[in-house]
Structure formats: C-alpha cells, structure tokens
Amino acid sequence: MKFIFLKIFILIFSLFPFVLLAQDSGFVREPSTTRYIKDIYQYVQDKINRNQYYINESRVNTTNLPWLELSKFQSTQQYFYSFVGDDTPVLRLVTIVAKVNDKNYYAEYLFDNDGKLIFCYEKQNDSATYPYREFRAYFENGLCINLLLDKEIIEAKNTSPYRTRLEVFQSTGKFYAQKFFADMKEVKNED
C-alpha cells in the first residue's frame, strides 16, 4: 500500500513543474471567431493555390515609368471570387500590391460568404510612416475582435490608438468590394 502512495506522490510532484510552466507561459487563447477566420483564410488560400477561383486583375503603370512628382509608382489589384447558384459572384479575397519608389505595400482583404470583411492584413517597409511592419485585424459584425501588430497581440482596451487605421482598413475593404460588384454588374450587363 505504501508503494502505491509513493508512486502517486512521485507522479504528482514530477508533473507539478510542468503545470506551473504551462500556467506561466503567457499563452493567450485566441477567440474562437479568430480561429474560424484563420480557417476560412487557409481554405481560400488552398483554393487559390489550386486555381479554383476566378481572378480579376487590375494593374497600374506596369512599365514603372515616373509617375506624379517624378516618383515611381505601380499597383496591382487582384480579386479572387467564385459563383453560386444563379451566377451570383462571391468575393473571397482582394490583394493589393503597391510600390512607391523604394517602399513596398502589400494588403489583403478577406470576405465571408455574405460579403462582409472579416480579416485584413498589411505588410510594408515604410518605417517613416508606420511604426509597425505587419498589421492583422480580425472582424466580426464590423467590430475588430483581434488585432496583431508585428505578431504582438493588442488587447481590446488598447486598440484606440489604432482606431483610425482600423477604420481605414474597413472603408478600403468596403471600397474594393463595391468596386468588384460594380465591375461584375457591368460585365453581366454586357452579356
């Protein structure tokens, strides 16, 4: 009987440091909606990689000639989408690649099946304008539920300094979605 208690005692105390380590690791569980959005993003990326979405693309200044005020400017917009039932387009992802002189900007806007913006991502090397290199925002019902700057989670109570940037992302995502649907409506009317 003493042997069993000794084994249990040793087992408990041998696992005790791991329990403390797990509690002190600073692990933050992400909201389930964020995990769901990440799954949608991965699903969309997989379909893009297998060429299972239609792509509309718009390019500006492909020859990279000097633009306004002699700066070099290029921009590419890609709209990834599919069709449902009655040939209604469903926008899934918009990517924007822009280059202004030596500054590079890359942005993504992910939409759910209802056309609502659920994720935006920006990566750039413009340290003179932005204090971060990467910006990720997850949305639910138009509200930011998770914000990451350079892989650092920003708590909801601390997002107010980024409120303007979040609003810009939301309005820009809405603009690209409206532009896409207007273009698709125009194409459909030409048929």
Side-chain angles (χ1 to χ4, degrees):
M1 191 73 153
K2 288 182 180 180
F3 185 67
I4 293 173
F5 285 121
L6 182 62
K7 280 186 171 181
I8 292 173
F9 181 77
I10 291 172
L11 181 66
I12 289 173
F13 279 99
S14 65
L15 294 176
F16 188 70
F18 295 109
V19 172
L20 290 177
L21 183 63
Q23 289 178 346
D24 193 37
S25 67
F27 176 74
V28 177
R29 184 172 223 183
E30 63 188 10
S32 61
T33 305
T34 301
R35 180 74 253 156
Y36 176 70
I37 292 169
K38 286 181 175 182
D39 290 344
I40 291 173
Y41 180 83
Q42 188 59 51
Y43 171 79
V44 168
Q45 288 297 325
D46 289 345
K47 289 191 72 129
I48 288 170
N49 291 337
R50 290 186 305 229
N51 294 320
Q52 294 179 327
Y53 280 133
Y54 295 95
I55 304 171
N56 292 356
E57 186 173 85
S58 172
R59 292 180 178 212
V60 176
N61 196 21
T62 57
T63 57
N64 203 26
L65 292 173
W67 196 254
L68 301 174
E69 299 175 14
L70 301 178
S71 62
K72 292 185 176 181
F73 172 78
Q74 287 182 308
S75 176
T76 302
Q77 302 168 14
Q78 291 183 316
Y79 300 83
F80 297 90
Y81 63 99
S82 61
F83 289 99
V84 293
D86 61 346
D87 292 336
T88 302
V90 177
L91 179 62
R92 295 316 310 258
L93 184 72
V94 176
T95 62
I96 310 298
V97 178
K99 183 171 181 161
V100 180
N101 291 326
D102 63 341
K103 304 291 189 257
N104 298 306
Y105 303 89
Y106 176 80
E108 296 179 338
Y109 300 88
L110 180 69
F111 300 88
D112 65 10
N113 286 334
D114 297 326
K116 293 178 187 164
L117 179 68
I118 56 174
F119 172 71
C120 64
Y121 169 76
E122 177 188 49
K123 183 175 183 174
Q124 40 69 30
N125 65 346
D126 189 353
S127 57
T129 306
Y130 302 107
Y132 58 85
R133 300 293 59 86
E134 292 186 32
F135 186 105
R136 288 177 177 83
Y138 299 83
F139 299 98
E140 181 177 34
N141 298 323
L143 298 173
C144 180
I145 58 167
N146 203 351
L147 176 62
L148 285 86
L149 297 178
D150 296 328
K151 298 182 183 178
E152 179 183 338
I153 297 172
I154 306 300
E155 292 183 31
K157 62 184 177 185
N158 298 330
T159 60
S160 56
Y162 307 103
R163 189 169 315 280
T164 302
R165 194 72 185 132
L166 287 166
E167 289 170 357
V168 167
F169 274 117
Q170 286 179 306
S171 62
T172 303
K174 186 177 181 180
F175 166 79
Y176 286 122
Q178 289 172 340
K179 182 179 184 307
F180 168 76
F181 288 112
D183 289 347
M184 294 303 289
K185 190 174 186 179
E186 193 174 302
V187 168
K188 194 171 187 177
N189 288 338
E190 288 178 5
D191 290 340

